[in-house]
């Protein structure tokens, strides 16, 4: 559903992202990883149409994203930035209802079908019980689930998540990633997600796209990346793979 063909980005004569190609399909969670300044957010913004590529092409469903109307693009792609906007005294349900905006516009009528999509999003994210609460009164983990509900109410096929767990404690990090992977599988959503915790990236992502200094270093399954040794080269620190004591799954130790 998403294809990047030799996409690059430069600003003020400096190349921030060197030409790279990758694809993402429905029901697939692809993690973007790399050190700070490696080009992850730039790549995400190119896909979200917040930036235009200097060269190459981003295609959605086989069509250049620049040729999609704003409304049609919003119906297909849902974006969660790293820093969430204040909810401005809105309740949880009022915020989630905004996810239906691309389908009826500013002057359109909020229909029974729209409400069904909102109800389904509240249920699948487990925030139905807090529908009447003010968003600004919620904990960080609760707010993340509410914003995910907004994205799901949008009924887009592609979710773009820029560091959605950065400000959460470990319990809420795991809960959020469990939810993301679950809805990707159950609803057939493609997910592009920026993560910094390498072990969580390996655990919850089907593939990892590894960047260093704006250049693509790897685009492989999470386990292939883990065992390739590329992460030690990218981050410049010693890394060791050990089996998890309970599950025997490979884990990464630094140092």
């Amino acid at each position: 559903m998403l294809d990047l063909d030799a996409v690059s980005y430069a600003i003020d004569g400096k190349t921030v992202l060197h030409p790279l190609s990758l694809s993402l399909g429905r029901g697939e969670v692809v993690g973007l990883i790399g050190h700070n300044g490696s080009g992850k957010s730039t790549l995400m913004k190119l896909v979200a149409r917040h930036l235009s590529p200097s060269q190459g092409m981003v295609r959605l469903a086989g069509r250049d994203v620049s040729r999609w109307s704003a409304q049609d693009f919003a119906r297909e792609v849902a974006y969660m930035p790293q820093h969430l906007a204040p909810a401005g005294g809105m309740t949880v349900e009022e915020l989630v209802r905004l996810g239906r905006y691309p389908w009826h516009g500013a002057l359109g009528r909020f229909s029974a079908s729209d409400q069904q999509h909102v109800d389904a999003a509240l249920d699948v994210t487990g925030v139905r019980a807090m529908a009447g609460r003010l968003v600004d009164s919620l904990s960080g983990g609760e707010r993340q689930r509410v914003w995910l509900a907004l994205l799901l109410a949008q009924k887009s096929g592609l979710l773009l998540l820029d560091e959605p767990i950065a400000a959460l404690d470990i319990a809420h990090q795991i809960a959020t990633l469990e939810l993301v992977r679950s809805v990707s599988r159950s609803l057939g959503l493609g997910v592009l997600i920026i993560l910094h915790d390498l072990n969580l990236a390996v655990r919850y992502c089907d593939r990892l796209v590894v960047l260093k200094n704006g250049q693509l270093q790897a685009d492989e399954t999470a386990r292939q990346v883990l065992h390739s040794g590329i992460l030690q080269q990218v981050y410049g620190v010693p890394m060791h793979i050990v089996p998890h004591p309970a599950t025997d799954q490979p884990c990464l130790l630094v140092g």
Side-chain angles (χ1 to χ4, degrees), residues 20 55 76 101 106 136 172 234:
L20 61 80
Q55 295 182 1
E76 294 295 326
Y101 181 85
D136 291 342
H172 284 106
V234 167

Side-chain angles (χ1 to χ4, degrees), residues 210 218 220 222-233 241:
V210 186
E220 298 176 302
R223 289 204 174 204
Q224 286 174 326
V225 168
L226 185 64
H227 287 285
S228 68
I230 192 66
L231 296 179
Q232 182 166 306
Q233 299 175 32
I241 301 172

Side-chain angles (χ1 to χ4, degrees), residues 90-243:
M90 301 179 72
T91 67
V92 167
E93 183 165 356
E94 287 170 342
L95 181 64
V96 175
R97 284 167 67 101
L98 293 182
R100 299 305 301 162
Y101 181 85
W103 296 91
H104 57 68
L107 301 178
R109 181 182 170 208
F110 192 87
S111 67
S113 175
D114 289 320
Q115 187 61 50
Q116 288 175 355
H117 289 303
V118 168
D119 290 339
L122 292 171
D123 288 337
V124 76
T125 54
V127 297
R128 160 71 68 183
M130 58 185 76
R133 292 177 58 186
L134 292 176
V135 176
D136 291 342
S137 72
L138 304 179
S139 70
E142 290 170 335
R143 281 197 299 272
Q144 289 293 76
R145 296 180 82 85
V146 170
W147 278 88
L148 280 172
L150 184 156
L151 267 58
L152 294 180
Q154 196 170 324
K155 294 302 290 182
S156 303
L158 175 62
L159 303 185
L160 307 178
L161 309 177
D162 190 347
E163 298 190 44
I165 63 171
L168 304 182
D169 61 54
I170 186 62
H172 284 106
Q173 288 179 359
I174 291 174
T176 297
L177 293 177
E178 289 278 3
L179 175 60
V180 168
R181 187 171 64 177
S182 174
V183 296
S184 174
R185 298 287 194 271
S186 62
L187 302 178
L189 306 180
V191 179
L192 187 63
I193 181 171
I194 295 178
L195 294 171
H196 280 292
D197 189 304
L198 299 179
N199 281 311
L200 291 179
V202 169
R203 179 174 175 179
Y204 290 103
C205 296
D206 301 303
R207 284 179 24 236
L208 294 179
V209 171
V210 186
L211 298 176
K212 180 180 182 181
N213 298 327
Q215 296 183 317
L216 180 65
Q217 304 296 305
D219 178 8
E220 298 176 302
T221 68
R223 289 204 174 204
Q224 286 174 326
V225 168
L226 185 64
H227 287 285
S228 68
I230 192 66
L231 296 179
Q232 182 166 306
Q233 299 175 32
V234 167
Y235 289 96
V237 294
M239 296 185 179
H240 309 278
I241 301 172
V242 298

Side-chain angles (χ1 to χ4, degrees), residues 14-17 34-42 196 211-215:
K14 179 182 178 181
T15 300
V16 179
L17 193 68
H35 57 77
N36 291 336
S38 62
K40 301 184 301 296
S41 289
T42 298
H196 280 292
L211 298 176
K212 180 180 182 181
N213 298 327
Q215 296 183 317

